[in-house]
Amino acid sequence: MSTAFYDALEARDPAEREAALLAALPAQVAHAQARSPAYTALLAGVDAAAVTSRAALAALPLTRKNSLAAAQAARRTLRIGGFAAGVPRRIFQSPGPLYEPEPDAEGADPWRMTRALHAAGIRAGQLAHVGFSYHLTPAGAMTEAGLRALGAASFPGGVGNTELQLQAMLDLQPEAYAGTPSLLRILLDKAAEGGHALPALQRALVSGEACPPALVAWFAERGVEAYQCYATADLGLIAYETQAREGLVVDEGVIVEIVRPGSGVPLPEGEVGEVVVTTLSPSYPLIRFATGDLSAVMPGISPCGRTNQRLRGWLGRADQSAKARGMFVHAGQVADLVKRHPQVRRARLVVSGELAQDHVVLQVEMWESTTPGLVESLMQTARDLTKLRIEVVLLPPGSLPNDGKLIEDRR
């Protein structure tokens, strides 16, 4: 096996991986029903033994961040609103506030960060300067756990105190950095301003912020090869960049779906939609967790040789809304309209105008030729769902961009 891979799982046959993930689903659903009070209620009546396919998984309800927040507010317990399957060893906080447990009894790398660190070129015996927060949020702990499992050492730099952090980097000369790209840029700038060199620093795993190609190139010009990963405090690692730099390879410990924003309906490969993740974590068994992020599955296998799905990366937020003529309109309402009219391939609500003169148009892309009365039917459905009179414009296939956007506010 190539040393480019963390283990053999990354290069296994896609059919073998899919079979293994689906085989693990029934036990995970049953475990969530039995041990997580929230899922006992949410999945009541579900036959866990029958959840053996992606279609069966797609029939289960989504779990959203606002559901977690509401449950936590109603049930102030160590079980994190009833979603945790046991008492966690540590609890973290994200903006909202939203609280997340540290996965327990899952080895040295409970958030599964090791694959991303390894793909970024970080190896055992090296020192990584960690530039994620260690206060309240779990990012620093997540990264440190992955480094420890990899056999690498860490310096807990955290955020802020850049002068002290730079001094530590100059003294310790770490081979790697793991943290936000903005902090890495600040540290490299300050080192250059002081005439200092960091020759050992050659690898970086960055996350938590956008890192566009221009910034990746800026790091490379200074001798640092930076790779990105996609992780959340709730789920841990979801996907990570490899040396191929063609999308983000999905982690081996999660099942990823791309669904139409505002709904739980899976989209075909290549379509932009909301990222929905099911974890195999026994202590925090999130089933169909809707991240609110937009992405798409890329076709084929990565040139690096890893055979799992690839995501295009972060493409925006799925929780779209707009206020028109005094009424809030949400992406879920547009998604519901598409669901009610099978002739519709894509739809986008466009709000324009100014000074309280809102102009609302529903752009509708069809699969094929229209049927008589379709425009009137769409207008009525739109009014039923949004309480607004909306103009409907029919478009031929391929007219609307594949960007997952259901609501466009042009005001």
Side-chain angles (χ1 to χ4, degrees):
M1 183 185 68
S2 169
T3 56
F5 303 140
Y6 177 66
D7 59 21
L9 296 180
E10 294 183 330
R12 58 181 161 168
D13 184 272
E16 178 187 345
R17 175 184 295 107
E18 183 76 354
L21 291 172
L22 293 179
L25 260 181
Q28 180 70 340
V29 173
H31 172 72
Q33 289 174 315
R35 299 293 303 278
S36 166
Y39 279 116
T40 301
L42 191 62
L43 301 179
V46 172
D47 180 6
V51 186
T52 58
S53 67
R54 285 188 176 260
L57 177 63
L60 301 181
L62 296 179
T63 299
R64 294 194 174 276
K65 279 185 180 289
N66 56 9
S67 300
L68 292 181
Q72 290 175 14
R75 305 176 67 175
R76 304 240 180 236
T77 71
L78 285 178
R79 299 291 286 275
I80 314 297
F83 280 89
V87 176
R89 56 189 173 191
R90 283 197 292 183
I91 297 175
F92 295 93
Q93 183 193 79
S94 293
L98 188 66
Y99 298 94
E100 299 95 6
E102 178 177 9
D104 198 5
E106 295 176 39
D109 184 21
W111 287 282
R112 309 175 318 282
M113 290 294 294
T114 315
R115 291 186 192 282
L117 293 161
H118 186 274
I122 302 172
R123 296 291 183 267
Q126 294 182 338
L127 171 64
H129 186 103
V130 180
F132 286 123
S133 174
Y134 278 80
H135 180 59
L136 296 178
T137 64
M142 291 168 67
T143 306
E144 189 170 286
L147 288 166
R148 188 179 299 117
L150 191 62
S154 61
F155 177 83
V159 296
N161 299 311
T162 53
E163 295 292 343
L164 289 175
Q165 293 209 50
L166 178 57
Q167 186 60 55
M169 295 183 82
L170 294 173
D171 290 342
L172 299 173
Q173 289 292 322
E175 292 90 350
Y177 168 91
T180 61
S182 60
L183 179 58
L184 177 58
R185 177 162 189 164
I186 290 170
L187 291 168
L188 291 175
D189 270 337
K190 282 188 173 295
E193 288 171 8
H196 303 301
L198 293 167
L201 184 63
Q202 297 180 0
R203 298 283 179 172
L205 178 68
V206 297
S207 191
E209 301 167 349
C211 188
L215 185 52
V216 173
W218 188 91
F219 289 138
E221 290 169 2
R222 287 149 183 82
V224 181
E225 293 294 322
Y227 295 85
Q228 302 178 67
C229 77
Y230 173 31
T232 74
D234 323 272
L235 300 160
L237 182 66
I238 299 172
Y240 55 97
E241 192 174 22
T242 73
Q243 287 185 321
R245 296 197 185 277
E246 292 189 12
L248 304 179
V249 176
V250 171
D251 179 57
E252 298 292 326
V254 295
I255 300 173
V256 171
E257 304 169 84
I258 302 295
V259 307
R260 190 182 306 281
S263 78
V265 180
L267 291 170
E269 184 179 274
E271 291 287 309
V272 175
E274 184 175 10
V275 179
V276 171
V277 180
T278 297
T279 76
L280 300 179
S281 165
S283 57
Y284 200 36
L286 293 176
I287 309 292
R288 301 202 79 205
F289 184 78
T291 64
D293 296 324
L294 292 175
S295 193
V297 173
M298 298 174 65
I301 291 173
S302 172
C304 74
R306 291 173 178 83
T307 57
N308 208 343
Q309 285 176 303
R310 289 179 297 158
L311 301 180
R312 279 178 54 191
W314 187 81
L315 301 178
R317 291 291 296 171
D319 46 357
Q320 308 154 30
S321 64
K323 191 173 186 179
R325 301 175 198 153
M327 300 291 293
F328 277 105
V329 185
H330 301 278
Q333 293 168 307
V334 183
D336 197 7
L337 180 142
V338 173
K339 185 178 180 180
R340 295 187 190 188
H341 295 272
Q343 310 98 314
V344 176
R345 183 187 183 197
R346 291 194 184 106
R348 173 173 298 189
L349 193 74
V350 178
V351 184
S352 58
E354 55 185 25
L355 297 176
Q357 298 295 317
D358 296 330
H359 185 212
V360 187
V361 176
L362 183 69
Q363 298 178 339
V364 177
E365 181 181 314
M366 312 303 298
W367 282 107
E368 51 191 21
S369 58
T370 63
T371 55
L374 179 59
V375 169
E376 291 76 13
S377 179
L378 287 168
M379 290 177 65
Q380 184 59 52
T381 301
R383 187 172 183 181
D384 292 343
L385 292 171
T386 68
K387 312 306 179 189
L388 295 171
R389 291 184 180 273
I390 296 175
E391 178 185 347
V392 174
V393 177
L394 300 183
L395 302 172
S399 300
L400 291 175
N402 176 26
D403 58 7
K405 187 175 289 187
L406 297 183
I407 296 178
E408 181 180 357
D409 193 340
R410 296 179 179 175
R411 293 170 296 182

